[in-house]
Amino acid sequence: MRLSRWLADRWVMIVALLVLGYLALPILVVAALSFNRPSSRLSYDFNEFTLDNWRQPCATSDMCDAVVRSVQISFIATVVATVLGTLMAFALVRHRFRGRSGINVLIFLPMATPELVMGTSLLALFVSAGVPQGFWTIVIAHVMFCVSFVVVTVKARLTGMDRRLEEAAMDLYASEWQTFRRITLPLVLPGIVAAALLAFSLSFDDFIITNFNAGTTVTFPMYVWGAAQRGIPPQVNVIGTAMFAVALLLVGLSMLRGRQARRANLLGGPSGHPCRST
């Protein structure tokens, strides 16, 4: 009876933990295989524990070149998409203008369009315009589908923000720039950071659209796809585990900073007073 009561009170948490464990299982397998010395190039069974893969992550020079290229593309695409998407989100939430509802529909189209359709459409556009495929066509393609995710994420943050905080700051004789810098930007920043992390992960992970518009440029997902035909090197698991660890660290730091900010707000700011002069 005691066990059944305990299960009845906690069955939702147990099911959630099982689902999360199932989702994390492939990541744990990749992390375990990063310490594996395979018996052959086409074998993915755990054969022997080794640290050589982590000591020499660039044993395959082509793979490291592809990783660096993917990071460069993702960084440029993330910066451009985050800036454009944040400005678009502010315009759609804070202003009323003709065609606003139509723009909202257009923003969702790249998210709803299959990647195969978007990749072939961009390829046709670049070919008809005479643009050679390569590094910058990949960047343009990634910006196009990352902007939508940035707009949606930042819009959700702006919609849930209390406008009375900005009005109170301006009532206390703060200028528009001071209100934006000290009130609006700190409140919206978690949404912007989340949108940037999402855009970076989508750009780094994309294969279908990249494959259509890459030309002779090889990114990390394209390298993994090509290497799968002749045996994936174990260093690929090292890169995957390292990327996941970095993403987990960034999310943890963001959550820690948000908790510290909430604690500071509850205590009334660094000076201990609930109101501070701007």
Side-chain angles (χ1 to χ4, degrees):
M1 291 294 294
R2 191 173 297 177
L3 178 61
S4 61
R5 188 179 304 154
W6 185 87
L7 291 175
D9 293 337
R10 295 172 173 82
W11 71 271
V12 175
M13 181 186 67
I14 295 173
V15 172
L17 290 176
L18 290 175
V19 172
L20 291 175
Y22 175 75
L23 294 176
L25 185 60
I27 301 174
L28 296 177
V29 171
V30 170
L33 290 177
S34 67
F35 298 97
N36 178 39
R37 179 182 284 117
S39 57
S40 64
R41 292 184 62 88
L42 297 177
S43 174
Y44 299 101
D45 298 331
F46 196 87
N47 179 52
E48 181 183 354
F49 180 84
T50 181
L51 294 175
D52 293 340
N53 301 328
W54 286 87
R55 291 170 183 160
Q56 299 176 346
C58 291
T60 306
S61 59
D62 294 342
M63 185 194 69
C64 284
D65 293 340
V67 171
V68 172
R69 197 172 296 114
S70 290
V71 171
Q72 292 174 344
I73 292 172
S74 302
F75 179 78
I76 298 173
T78 298
V79 171
V80 177
T82 302
V83 173
L84 294 177
T86 302
L87 295 176
M88 293 172 65
F90 269 95
L92 293 171
V93 173
R94 295 297 179 85
H95 301 281
R96 299 292 183 268
F97 52 90
R98 184 178 298 176
R100 179 171 171 268
S101 58
I103 292 177
N104 278 317
V105 174
L106 290 176
I107 287 173
F108 279 97
L109 282 180
M111 301 173 61
T113 304
E115 290 191 354
L116 183 65
V117 176
M118 183 176 292
T120 54
S121 301
L122 287 171
L123 175 62
L125 175 65
F126 291 138
V127 170
S128 61
V131 179
Q133 285 108 29
F135 183 92
W136 291 109
T137 54
I138 299 176
V139 171
I140 295 172
H142 286 196
V143 169
M144 289 189 66
F145 70 79
C146 286
V147 165
S148 299
F149 292 93
V150 174
V151 173
V152 172
T153 306
V154 179
K155 271 185 64 179
R157 184 68 179 180
L158 284 172
T159 304
M161 194 179 74
D162 191 355
R163 292 292 301 273
R164 292 176 296 181
L165 297 174
E166 297 173 304
E167 295 172 357
M170 301 193 73
D171 287 341
L172 294 173
Y173 303 102
S175 64
E176 292 184 359
W177 169 246
Q178 288 176 325
T179 302
F180 176 79
R181 184 168 60 90
R182 298 194 176 189
I183 303 297
T184 307
L185 185 59
L187 292 175
V188 182
L189 189 59
I192 297 176
V193 173
L197 292 177
L198 178 61
F200 185 89
S201 62
L202 290 172
S203 176
F204 187 87
D205 188 56
D206 183 77
F207 170 77
I208 298 177
I209 297 177
T210 303
N211 192 35
F212 276 103
N213 301 278
T216 58
T217 304
V218 178
T219 61
F220 182 62
M222 295 176 63
Y223 173 84
V224 175
W225 176 76
Q229 303 176 12
R230 58 184 183 276
I232 299 177
Q235 285 79 9
V236 169
N237 300 315
V238 174
I239 300 299
T241 305
M243 293 295 295
F244 177 76
V246 170
L248 198 63
L249 178 62
L250 291 176
V251 172
L253 292 176
S254 178
M255 293 177 61
L256 180 62
R257 183 175 179 179
R259 183 177 300 176
Q260 291 176 348
R262 288 191 297 269
R263 186 179 301 174
N265 291 332
L266 291 175
L267 296 176
S271 62
H273 299 286
C275 296
R276 298 185 65 201
S277 174
T278 55

